[in-house]
Amino acid sequence: RFELPRLHFFFGARTDEGFTEYPPMLDTVLLEPNERRVELTWRAAVPIPRRAGRLHFVQVHEKERVS
């Protein structure tokens, strides 16, 4: 039996309108049994303003685990 790691990520972006958090979703699970490895990919979509210069930065990090 195999359980995927329980990871939680923060994904946010700052534009001229302010800072917004965008919920990432687990998108891809790649199992490599011969390597005893699993690769997880999350995806989040940030709407880009008409003038891309108004997107100041994107921030991504793993959230702290709360027991």
Side-chain angles (χ1 to χ4, degrees), residues 1-17:
R1 180 178 161 134
F2 176 78
E3 289 187 30
L4 292 174
R6 295 184 183 272
L7 302 172
H8 301 281
F9 292 94
F10 173 86
F11 192 101
R14 175 165 303 282
T15 63
D16 286 349
E17 287 77 41

Side-chain angles (χ1 to χ4, degrees), residues 12-67:
R14 175 165 303 282
T15 63
D16 286 349
E17 287 77 41
F19 192 82
T20 306
E21 183 174 356
Y22 298 92
M25 302 295 289
L26 182 59
D27 182 70
T28 306
V29 177
L30 177 62
L31 299 173
E32 298 178 278
N34 293 339
E35 302 294 325
R36 299 184 51 81
R37 180 171 49 205
V38 61
E39 183 177 312
L40 307 174
T41 305
W42 279 259
R43 181 185 308 253
V46 176
I48 302 296
R50 279 187 179 251
R51 293 182 49 211
R54 295 180 182 220
L55 176 64
H56 300 286
F57 65 86
V58 172
Q59 181 180 20
V60 179
H61 61 84
E62 185 177 354
K63 290 183 175 181
E64 284 188 38
R65 295 180 186 159
V66 179
S67 302

